[in-house]
Amino acid sequence: MSTASRRTIFLVLLLIAWEAGFRLFGWGWKFPSPTQTLQAFYDGLVHGELLQATFASMARLVVSFALSLLIGTTLGFLFARYRMLDDTLGFLVVSLQTIPSIAWLPFAIIWFGLNESSVIFITTLGATWTMALASRTGIKNIPPIYLRAAQTMGTGNGFNLFVQVMIPAAFPHLINGVRTAWAFAWRALVAGELIAKGAGLGQLLQDGRNLGDTSLMLCIVIIIAVLGTVSDHFCFKKLEDKVLERYGLAGSKS
Amino acid sequence: MRKRAWLMLLLLIVVVMVSACGEKLTPTGKAQVVRVGVFKNVTHAAAYIALEKGYFVREWGNEVKIEVTAFDNGSDLSIAMATGDIDIGFVGPGPATTFFLKSENYRVVSGSNNGGAVLVARNGTGINSVKDLVDKTIAIPSKGNTNEISLRLLLEQEGVGLGRGADNAHLIVRSPSDALISFRQKEIDATLVPEPWGTQIEKAGLGKVVVDWKAIPPNNGNYPTVIMVASDKYIARHRDMVKGAIKANRDGIAFIQNSPEQAYDLINNQLKQYSGKGMDIDLIKASLSRLKLTTDVDVKVMEEMAKVSIDARYIKGINKEELNLSKFVDLSMLEEVKSEK
């Protein structure tokens, strides 16, 4: 049996169990049935609020994600290059990583207000540290012989070495970092939108809670899961496969 | 190993089921614990007085333990009512109706106060009437709450649309305390809030009242803003205790009306307890002058309000013409209490 058909059967069984559970146990309004959820999807699409919220969240996510990749990779590079920074700031980043980024939201609200900037701030924060640590490990694990060879060939010690040798050499680690950062960014985003205000999936989830609209709430949870899976499958997984292929590691799957 | 895991699971289920059912009663057959839900707001003054003056204890007796939970907004309190975490609650009709139509497990048993909300505009926005709200951002405390319904009716009366375009008024959700901050940050232009927030914004010099409470629709300020709800289970098992609560609420109202000066301090005591800090007595005084304490509930007005929620698609799956809240409102106990006098 192929993976696809196995998954399809699983999903169909899940749907049946869901509907059966709804009917047998009488969850009522506490957990919607598949048809109610479908109806909410339809309503949300017709009136545009679901799409609007999804786009608003995605826009925010992309901005924060780009920012965190930029900052994270740079930080990671600096940590790997300069012992002094690694011992001081690097140590701090490890402890910062343990703080859930939502913990910064009260601060963010005071600094930026209850708006877009606060959510972008904590989303960026949520992904940056992971990215920094991943790129640090990636660069640290580059065999020194690569660097020496590159320097002999005249890349120097600065920017050229970084872009032409270090980034490609650290790619497998970086990709891993990117995937984790994406997941972390999602978490921070939804958590931030739940509390701070502005259009977005988190906010819509909050509205659903205020109105007791469980089918809308479930819709959003499903959208988040689908977006996460789809983006991972079509962007990062593809990218990773390509990288593995380029490094001659693709065959090792067997 | 696997067998043991199954046994553990079974045990867990049994424990949960056993602990879920079976209510503890006092020797006199009353519930041992009554879970009361209120807001952290002056509009709940009658409940505060009833608690502070011990009217509930007087009605229920000393052996009954009163557990008070203070909520920040009506949606949360209504969720607690709908899931059976609260026995008696003081809440706004907006969210109470929305959640009742889903869970149908609690009833309105008495009124507590009417009105008490004002429309405040930020200084420097040039808003002098409802018509000036076009292309302005107005905050409401939460989606589907009583104030939003009033705002929608108010805008409709004056022919102002609600939406994103430049010829519409824009709606944004901000809790009243955040609205104060948002006024400072010039993020919002106006807000329709329950007292004391209107007075507080005025006192902070941030804005002024544009529409006074007596002009807020529906019914010119004479619409329920705080009502008393009780769970079905509770009404069925402890009808007398619910009647006791209705009496306590009624006497709380009477106390405020008869000796307001004394009431302010008592209200402040309760506020301190729930929100951590007290309030300026002048603020409480000003707030209470902007609302009407009453045990009456106008079902017609509540239906009118629920229809606004249906139009806003906050209540789905119910036809506006078929809406009938007579099942939701059970004033028989209130009538009994009134005739006992």
Side-chain angles (χ1 to χ4, degrees), chain A residues 58-115:
Chain A
M58 281 307 267
R60 244 178 242 149
L61 189 69
V62 167
V63 170
S64 328
F65 189 56
L67 271 175
S68 62
L69 287 195
L70 197 74
I71 303 171
T73 319
T74 317
L75 275 178
F77 167 74
L78 292 175
F79 293 158
R81 284 296 282 170
Y82 303 104
R83 185 70 196 277
M84 180 67 189
L85 267 180
D86 196 26
D87 285 348
T88 52
L89 200 60
F91 156 75
L92 191 66
V93 166
V94 174
S95 46
L96 281 175
Q97 200 211 2
T98 61
I99 303 170
S101 61
I102 193 72
W104 293 106
L105 189 72
F107 270 115
I109 289 173
I110 292 170
W111 295 336
F112 307 107
L114 270 163
N115 48 34

Short mmCIF file of all heavy atoms in Angstrom, two decimals, chain A residues 58-115:
data_model
loop_
_atom_site.label_atom_id
_atom_site.label_comp_id
_atom_site.label_asym_id
_atom_site.label_seq_id
_atom_site.Cartn_x
_atom_site.Cartn_y
_atom_site.Cartn_z
N MET A 58 -0.42 35.17 7.59
CA MET A 58 0.70 34.74 6.74
C MET A 58 1.65 35.92 6.47
O MET A 58 2.86 35.76 6.51
CB MET A 58 0.17 34.18 5.41
CG MET A 58 -0.34 32.77 5.49
SD MET A 58 0.83 31.63 6.21
CE MET A 58 1.63 31.02 4.75
N ALA A 59 1.05 37.08 6.19
CA ALA A 59 1.88 38.26 5.91
C ALA A 59 2.79 38.55 7.09
O ALA A 59 4.01 38.74 6.95
CB ALA A 59 0.99 39.46 5.62
N ARG A 60 2.18 38.53 8.28
CA ARG A 60 2.95 38.78 9.50
C ARG A 60 4.04 37.73 9.68
O ARG A 60 5.17 38.04 10.02
CB ARG A 60 2.00 38.69 10.69
CG ARG A 60 1.87 39.97 11.39
CD ARG A 60 0.89 39.82 12.51
NE ARG A 60 -0.22 40.70 12.27
CZ ARG A 60 -1.45 40.44 12.66
NH1 ARG A 60 -1.72 39.32 13.27
NH2 ARG A 60 -2.40 41.29 12.44
N LEU A 61 3.65 36.49 9.43
CA LEU A 61 4.58 35.38 9.62
C LEU A 61 5.77 35.49 8.68
O LEU A 61 6.92 35.31 9.10
CB LEU A 61 3.84 34.07 9.38
CG LEU A 61 4.60 32.81 9.75
CD1 LEU A 61 4.74 32.73 11.25
CD2 LEU A 61 3.88 31.58 9.25
N VAL A 62 5.49 35.82 7.43
CA VAL A 62 6.58 35.89 6.44
C VAL A 62 7.56 36.99 6.81
O VAL A 62 8.78 36.80 6.78
CB VAL A 62 5.98 36.09 5.02
CG1 VAL A 62 7.07 36.47 4.04
CG2 VAL A 62 5.28 34.83 4.58
N VAL A 63 7.02 38.14 7.20
CA VAL A 63 7.90 39.25 7.59
C VAL A 63 8.78 38.84 8.77
O VAL A 63 10.01 38.97 8.74
CB VAL A 63 7.06 40.50 7.98
CG1 VAL A 63 7.94 41.56 8.61
CG2 VAL A 63 6.35 41.05 6.75
N SER A 64 8.13 38.29 9.82
CA SER A 64 8.89 37.92 11.02
C SER A 64 9.89 36.83 10.71
O SER A 64 11.01 36.83 11.22
CB SER A 64 7.98 37.42 12.13
OG SER A 64 6.76 38.04 12.08
N PHE A 65 9.46 35.90 9.87
CA PHE A 65 10.32 34.76 9.55
C PHE A 65 11.57 35.23 8.80
O PHE A 65 12.69 34.84 9.15
CB PHE A 65 9.52 33.77 8.70
CG PHE A 65 10.20 32.47 8.48
CD1 PHE A 65 10.60 31.69 9.56
CD2 PHE A 65 10.42 32.00 7.20
CE1 PHE A 65 11.22 30.49 9.36
CE2 PHE A 65 11.04 30.79 6.99
CZ PHE A 65 11.44 30.03 8.07
N ALA A 66 11.38 36.10 7.82
CA ALA A 66 12.51 36.64 7.07
C ALA A 66 13.46 37.36 8.01
O ALA A 66 14.68 37.16 7.97
CB ALA A 66 12.01 37.57 5.98
N LEU A 67 12.87 38.17 8.89
CA LEU A 67 13.70 38.91 9.85
C LEU A 67 14.49 37.97 10.73
O LEU A 67 15.70 38.15 10.94
CB LEU A 67 12.79 39.77 10.75
CG LEU A 67 12.46 41.17 10.27
CD1 LEU A 67 11.46 41.80 11.22
CD2 LEU A 67 13.72 42.01 10.20
N SER A 68 13.81 36.94 11.24
CA SER A 68 14.49 36.05 12.17
C SER A 68 15.57 35.23 11.47
O SER A 68 16.61 34.93 12.06
CB SER A 68 13.50 35.15 12.90
OG SER A 68 12.84 34.33 11.98
N LEU A 69 15.33 34.86 10.20
CA LEU A 69 16.37 34.12 9.48
C LEU A 69 17.60 34.98 9.32
O LEU A 69 18.74 34.55 9.55
CB LEU A 69 15.86 33.71 8.09
CG LEU A 69 14.84 32.59 8.02
CD1 LEU A 69 14.73 32.07 6.61
CD2 LEU A 69 15.20 31.44 8.97
N LEU A 70 17.38 36.23 8.96
CA LEU A 70 18.48 37.17 8.75
C LEU A 70 19.27 37.37 10.04
O LEU A 70 20.49 37.16 10.09
CB LEU A 70 17.89 38.50 8.26
CG LEU A 70 18.88 39.44 7.62
CD1 LEU A 70 19.24 38.92 6.23
CD2 LEU A 70 18.28 40.84 7.52
N ILE A 71 18.54 37.75 11.08
CA ILE A 71 19.21 38.03 12.36
C ILE A 71 19.84 36.76 12.91
O ILE A 71 20.99 36.75 13.36
CB ILE A 71 18.21 38.61 13.38
CG1 ILE A 71 17.56 39.87 12.82
CG2 ILE A 71 18.91 38.92 14.70
CD1 ILE A 71 16.41 40.40 13.65
N GLY A 72 19.07 35.66 12.88
CA GLY A 72 19.54 34.40 13.45
C GLY A 72 20.80 33.90 12.79
O GLY A 72 21.78 33.53 13.47
N THR A 73 20.80 33.89 11.46
CA THR A 73 21.98 33.37 10.75
C THR A 73 23.21 34.24 11.02
O THR A 73 24.30 33.73 11.25
CB THR A 73 21.70 33.32 9.23
OG1 THR A 73 20.39 32.85 9.03
CG2 THR A 73 22.67 32.43 8.52
N THR A 74 22.99 35.55 11.00
CA THR A 74 24.11 36.44 11.27
C THR A 74 24.67 36.20 12.66
O THR A 74 25.89 36.07 12.85
CB THR A 74 23.64 37.91 11.15
OG1 THR A 74 22.82 38.02 10.01
CG2 THR A 74 24.82 38.84 11.03
N LEU A 75 23.76 36.13 13.63
CA LEU A 75 24.21 35.89 15.01
C LEU A 75 24.99 34.57 15.09
O LEU A 75 26.08 34.51 15.68
CB LEU A 75 23.00 35.81 15.95
CG LEU A 75 22.46 37.13 16.50
CD1 LEU A 75 21.24 36.85 17.37
CD2 LEU A 75 23.54 37.84 17.31
N GLY A 76 24.43 33.54 14.50
CA GLY A 76 25.06 32.23 14.53
C GLY A 76 26.46 32.27 13.94
O GLY A 76 27.41 31.69 14.48
N PHE A 77 26.59 32.98 12.84
CA PHE A 77 27.89 33.12 12.19
C PHE A 77 28.87 33.82 13.13
O PHE A 77 30.00 33.37 13.32
CB PHE A 77 27.73 33.93 10.89
CG PHE A 77 29.01 34.40 10.31
CD1 PHE A 77 29.86 33.51 9.67
CD2 PHE A 77 29.38 35.73 10.41
CE1 PHE A 77 31.06 33.95 9.13
CE2 PHE A 77 30.58 36.17 9.87
CZ PHE A 77 31.41 35.28 9.23
N LEU A 78 28.39 34.90 13.74
CA LEU A 78 29.27 35.66 14.64
C LEU A 78 29.71 34.79 15.82
O LEU A 78 30.87 34.81 16.23
CB LEU A 78 28.56 36.92 15.14
CG LEU A 78 28.30 37.97 14.07
CD1 LEU A 78 27.49 39.13 14.64
CD2 LEU A 78 29.61 38.48 13.48
N PHE A 79 28.77 34.00 16.35
CA PHE A 79 29.11 33.13 17.48
C PHE A 79 30.16 32.12 17.08
O PHE A 79 31.09 31.81 17.83
CB PHE A 79 27.87 32.37 17.98
CG PHE A 79 26.84 33.27 18.59
CD1 PHE A 79 25.51 32.87 18.67
CD2 PHE A 79 27.20 34.51 19.10
CE1 PHE A 79 24.56 33.70 19.24
CE2 PHE A 79 26.25 35.34 19.66
CZ PHE A 79 24.93 34.93 19.72
N ALA A 80 30.00 31.59 15.87
CA ALA A 80 30.93 30.55 15.43
C ALA A 80 32.31 31.14 15.16
O ALA A 80 33.33 30.49 15.32
CB ALA A 80 30.39 29.88 14.18
N ARG A 81 32.33 32.39 14.74
CA ARG A 81 33.60 33.01 14.34
C ARG A 81 34.37 33.58 15.53
O ARG A 81 35.58 33.48 15.59
CB ARG A 81 33.35 34.16 13.36
CG ARG A 81 33.03 33.76 11.97
CD ARG A 81 34.16 33.03 11.30
NE ARG A 81 35.21 33.91 10.82
CZ ARG A 81 36.38 33.48 10.37
NH1 ARG A 81 36.65 32.19 10.37
NH2 ARG A 81 37.28 34.30 9.93
N TYR A 82 33.64 34.22 16.41
CA TYR A 82 34.33 34.95 17.47
C TYR A 82 34.06 34.31 18.81
O TYR A 82 32.94 34.34 19.33
CB TYR A 82 33.91 36.42 17.46
CG TYR A 82 34.18 37.08 16.13
CD1 TYR A 82 33.13 37.33 15.25
CD2 TYR A 82 35.48 37.43 15.74
CE1 TYR A 82 33.36 37.91 14.02
CE2 TYR A 82 35.72 38.00 14.51
CZ TYR A 82 34.66 38.25 13.65
OH TYR A 82 34.91 38.81 12.43
N ARG A 83 35.08 33.74 19.36
CA ARG A 83 35.01 33.05 20.64
C ARG A 83 34.45 33.94 21.74
O ARG A 83 33.60 33.53 22.52
CB ARG A 83 36.45 32.60 20.98
CG ARG A 83 36.58 31.76 22.19
CD ARG A 83 35.97 30.38 21.95
NE ARG A 83 35.75 29.69 23.20
CZ ARG A 83 36.71 29.01 23.83
NH1 ARG A 83 37.92 28.89 23.30
NH2 ARG A 83 36.46 28.43 24.97
N MET A 84 34.93 35.19 21.70
CA MET A 84 34.53 36.18 22.70
C MET A 84 32.99 36.33 22.72
O MET A 84 32.37 36.29 23.77
CB MET A 84 35.20 37.50 22.32
CG MET A 84 34.90 38.64 23.24
SD MET A 84 35.61 38.36 24.85
CE MET A 84 34.85 39.70 25.74
N LEU A 85 32.40 36.50 21.53
CA LEU A 85 30.96 36.67 21.41
C LEU A 85 30.23 35.40 21.86
O LEU A 85 29.20 35.46 22.53
CB LEU A 85 30.59 36.96 19.96
CG LEU A 85 30.49 38.42 19.55
CD1 LEU A 85 30.12 38.51 18.09
CD2 LEU A 85 29.44 39.13 20.40
N ASP A 86 30.78 34.27 21.46
CA ASP A 86 30.14 33.01 21.78
C ASP A 86 30.06 32.80 23.29
O ASP A 86 29.05 32.34 23.82
CB ASP A 86 30.93 31.87 21.12
CG ASP A 86 30.10 30.60 21.09
OD1 ASP A 86 28.86 30.71 21.09
OD2 ASP A 86 30.68 29.51 21.05
N ASP A 87 31.14 33.17 23.97
CA ASP A 87 31.18 32.97 25.42
C ASP A 87 30.22 33.90 26.15
O ASP A 87 29.76 33.59 27.24
CB ASP A 87 32.61 33.20 25.94
CG ASP A 87 33.50 32.02 25.59
OD1 ASP A 87 32.94 30.99 25.18
OD2 ASP A 87 34.73 32.15 25.70
N THR A 88 29.99 35.05 25.59
CA THR A 88 29.16 36.04 26.28
C THR A 88 27.73 36.03 25.75
O THR A 88 26.82 35.50 26.36
CB THR A 88 29.76 37.45 26.11
OG1 THR A 88 29.98 37.68 24.71
CG2 THR A 88 31.07 37.57 26.85
N LEU A 89 27.56 36.60 24.55
CA LEU A 89 26.23 36.72 23.96
C LEU A 89 25.66 35.34 23.63
O LEU A 89 24.46 35.08 23.81
CB LEU A 89 26.32 37.57 22.69
CG LEU A 89 25.02 38.19 22.20
CD1 LEU A 89 24.43 39.09 23.25
CD2 LEU A 89 25.26 38.97 20.91
N GLY A 90 26.52 34.45 23.19
CA GLY A 90 26.08 33.11 22.81
C GLY A 90 25.46 32.39 24.00
O GLY A 90 24.43 31.72 23.89
N PHE A 91 26.09 32.57 25.13
CA PHE A 91 25.59 31.96 26.37
C PHE A 91 24.21 32.53 26.72
O PHE A 91 23.31 31.82 27.13
CB PHE A 91 26.63 32.24 27.47
CG PHE A 91 26.09 32.22 28.86
CD1 PHE A 91 25.78 31.02 29.47
CD2 PHE A 91 25.89 33.41 29.55
CE1 PHE A 91 25.30 31.00 30.76
CE2 PHE A 91 25.40 33.39 30.83
CZ PHE A 91 25.10 32.20 31.44
N LEU A 92 24.08 33.84 26.47
CA LEU A 92 22.82 34.51 26.76
C LEU A 92 21.71 33.98 25.84
O LEU A 92 20.58 33.75 26.27
CB LEU A 92 22.98 36.01 26.55
CG LEU A 92 21.84 36.88 27.06
CD1 LEU A 92 21.74 36.81 28.56
CD2 LEU A 92 22.03 38.32 26.62
N VAL A 93 22.09 33.75 24.57
CA VAL A 93 21.09 33.29 23.60
C VAL A 93 20.55 31.91 23.99
O VAL A 93 19.35 31.66 23.87
CB VAL A 93 21.69 33.27 22.17
CG1 VAL A 93 20.80 32.47 21.23
CG2 VAL A 93 21.81 34.69 21.65
N VAL A 94 21.41 31.07 24.51
CA VAL A 94 20.96 29.75 24.94
C VAL A 94 19.89 29.89 26.02
O VAL A 94 18.87 29.21 26.00
CB VAL A 94 22.15 28.90 25.46
CG1 VAL A 94 21.64 27.59 26.03
CG2 VAL A 94 23.13 28.64 24.33
N SER A 95 20.14 30.82 26.95
CA SER A 95 19.12 30.97 28.00
C SER A 95 17.88 31.68 27.46
O SER A 95 16.77 31.41 27.89
CB SER A 95 19.69 31.69 29.22
OG SER A 95 20.42 32.81 28.82
N LEU A 96 18.08 32.61 26.52
CA LEU A 96 16.93 33.28 25.93
C LEU A 96 16.03 32.29 25.19
O LEU A 96 14.81 32.44 25.17
CB LEU A 96 17.39 34.37 24.95
CG LEU A 96 17.86 35.67 25.56
CD1 LEU A 96 18.41 36.60 24.50
CD2 LEU A 96 16.75 36.35 26.33
N GLN A 97 16.68 31.28 24.61
CA GLN A 97 15.91 30.32 23.83
C GLN A 97 14.93 29.54 24.70
O GLN A 97 13.89 29.08 24.24
CB GLN A 97 16.86 29.35 23.13
CG GLN A 97 16.20 28.66 21.95
CD GLN A 97 16.75 27.28 21.73
OE1 GLN A 97 17.61 26.82 22.48
NE2 GLN A 97 16.27 26.60 20.71
N THR A 98 15.28 29.41 25.97
CA THR A 98 14.40 28.64 26.85
C THR A 98 13.15 29.42 27.25
O THR A 98 12.20 28.85 27.77
CB THR A 98 15.13 28.23 28.15
OG1 THR A 98 15.53 29.44 28.80
CG2 THR A 98 16.35 27.39 27.86
N ILE A 99 13.16 30.74 27.01
CA ILE A 99 12.00 31.55 27.39
C ILE A 99 10.96 31.47 26.28
O ILE A 99 11.26 31.78 25.14
CB ILE A 99 12.39 33.03 27.59
CG1 ILE A 99 13.49 33.15 28.63
CG2 ILE A 99 11.17 33.86 28.01
CD1 ILE A 99 14.09 34.52 28.71
N PRO A 100 9.74 31.04 26.60
CA PRO A 100 8.71 31.07 25.56
C PRO A 100 8.51 32.51 25.10
O PRO A 100 8.41 33.40 25.94
CB PRO A 100 7.46 30.58 26.28
CG PRO A 100 7.89 30.04 27.58
CD PRO A 100 9.22 30.63 27.90
N SER A 101 8.46 32.74 23.80
CA SER A 101 8.47 34.13 23.35
C SER A 101 7.24 34.89 23.78
O SER A 101 7.26 36.10 23.90
CB SER A 101 8.65 34.20 21.84
OG SER A 101 7.58 33.55 21.23
N ILE A 102 6.15 34.16 24.08
CA ILE A 102 4.92 34.82 24.52
C ILE A 102 5.16 35.55 25.85
O ILE A 102 4.47 36.49 26.19
CB ILE A 102 3.76 33.81 24.63
CG1 ILE A 102 2.41 34.52 24.77
CG2 ILE A 102 3.94 32.83 25.74
CD1 ILE A 102 1.95 35.17 23.51
N ALA A 103 6.19 35.09 26.59
CA ALA A 103 6.50 35.74 27.85
C ALA A 103 6.93 37.19 27.64
O ALA A 103 6.88 38.00 28.56
CB ALA A 103 7.61 34.97 28.58
N TRP A 104 7.35 37.51 26.43
CA TRP A 104 7.77 38.89 26.14
C TRP A 104 6.61 39.77 25.73
O TRP A 104 6.78 40.97 25.53
CB TRP A 104 8.84 38.91 25.04
CG TRP A 104 10.12 38.28 25.45
CD1 TRP A 104 10.58 37.06 25.06
CD2 TRP A 104 11.10 38.81 26.34
NE1 TRP A 104 11.78 36.80 25.66
CE2 TRP A 104 12.13 37.86 26.44
CE3 TRP A 104 11.19 40.01 27.06
CZ2 TRP A 104 13.25 38.06 27.24
CZ3 TRP A 104 12.31 40.21 27.85
CH2 TRP A 104 13.33 39.24 27.95
N LEU A 105 5.45 39.18 25.54
CA LEU A 105 4.33 39.96 25.02
C LEU A 105 3.94 41.15 25.91
O LEU A 105 3.75 42.25 25.39
CB LEU A 105 3.11 39.07 24.74
CG LEU A 105 2.02 39.82 23.99
CD1 LEU A 105 2.42 40.05 22.54
CD2 LEU A 105 0.70 39.10 24.03
N PRO A 106 3.86 40.93 27.23
CA PRO A 106 3.52 42.10 28.05
C PRO A 106 4.51 43.25 27.83
O PRO A 106 4.11 44.41 27.77
CB PRO A 106 3.62 41.56 29.48
CG PRO A 106 3.34 40.11 29.34
CD PRO A 106 3.93 39.71 28.03
N PHE A 107 5.78 42.91 27.70
CA PHE A 107 6.77 43.94 27.41
C PHE A 107 6.51 44.57 26.04
O PHE A 107 6.51 45.78 25.89
CB PHE A 107 8.18 43.36 27.40
CG PHE A 107 8.84 43.39 28.74
CD1 PHE A 107 9.16 42.22 29.40
CD2 PHE A 107 9.14 44.60 29.34
CE1 PHE A 107 9.76 42.26 30.65
CE2 PHE A 107 9.74 44.66 30.58
CZ PHE A 107 10.05 43.47 31.23
N ALA A 108 6.28 43.70 25.06
CA ALA A 108 6.07 44.18 23.69
C ALA A 108 4.90 45.16 23.64
O ALA A 108 4.96 46.17 22.94
CB ALA A 108 5.83 43.00 22.76
N ILE A 109 3.85 44.87 24.43
CA ILE A 109 2.68 45.76 24.41
C ILE A 109 3.05 47.13 24.95
O ILE A 109 2.63 48.16 24.43
CB ILE A 109 1.53 45.13 25.23
CG1 ILE A 109 0.95 43.94 24.47
CG2 ILE A 109 0.43 46.14 25.47
CD1 ILE A 109 -0.07 43.15 25.23
N ILE A 110 3.90 47.12 25.98
CA ILE A 110 4.32 48.42 26.54
C ILE A 110 5.23 49.15 25.56
O ILE A 110 5.13 50.35 25.38
CB ILE A 110 5.02 48.20 27.91
CG1 ILE A 110 3.97 47.70 28.92
CG2 ILE A 110 5.67 49.48 28.39
CD1 ILE A 110 4.54 47.24 30.21
N TRP A 111 6.12 48.41 24.90
CA TRP A 111 7.06 49.07 23.99
C TRP A 111 6.42 49.52 22.70
O TRP A 111 6.67 50.60 22.21
CB TRP A 111 8.23 48.12 23.67
CG TRP A 111 9.07 47.80 24.86
CD1 TRP A 111 9.21 48.55 25.99
CD2 TRP A 111 9.88 46.64 25.05
NE1 TRP A 111 10.05 47.93 26.88
CE2 TRP A 111 10.49 46.75 26.32
CE3 TRP A 111 10.17 45.52 24.26
CZ2 TRP A 111 11.36 45.79 26.83
CZ3 TRP A 111 11.04 44.57 24.77
CH2 TRP A 111 11.62 44.70 26.03
N PHE A 112 5.61 48.65 22.10
CA PHE A 112 5.09 48.95 20.76
C PHE A 112 3.60 49.21 20.72
O PHE A 112 3.07 49.61 19.70
CB PHE A 112 5.38 47.79 19.79
CG PHE A 112 6.81 47.37 19.76
CD1 PHE A 112 7.22 46.19 20.34
CD2 PHE A 112 7.76 48.17 19.13
CE1 PHE A 112 8.53 45.79 20.31
CE2 PHE A 112 9.08 47.78 19.11
CZ PHE A 112 9.47 46.60 19.70
N GLY A 113 2.90 48.94 21.81
CA GLY A 113 1.44 49.08 21.79
C GLY A 113 0.78 47.77 21.39
O GLY A 113 1.45 46.81 21.01
N LEU A 114 -0.55 47.80 21.46
CA LEU A 114 -1.32 46.57 21.20
C LEU A 114 -1.53 46.40 19.70
O LEU A 114 -2.65 46.40 19.25
CB LEU A 114 -2.68 46.70 21.85
CG LEU A 114 -2.85 46.22 23.27
CD1 LEU A 114 -4.11 46.79 23.86
CD2 LEU A 114 -2.93 44.70 23.31
N ASN A 115 -0.48 46.29 18.94
CA ASN A 115 -0.72 46.28 17.49
C ASN A 115 0.19 45.29 16.78
O ASN A 115 0.86 44.48 17.40
CB ASN A 115 -0.49 47.69 16.94
CG ASN A 115 0.81 48.27 17.43
OD1 ASN A 115 1.76 47.54 17.63
ND2 ASN A 115 0.83 49.56 17.66
#
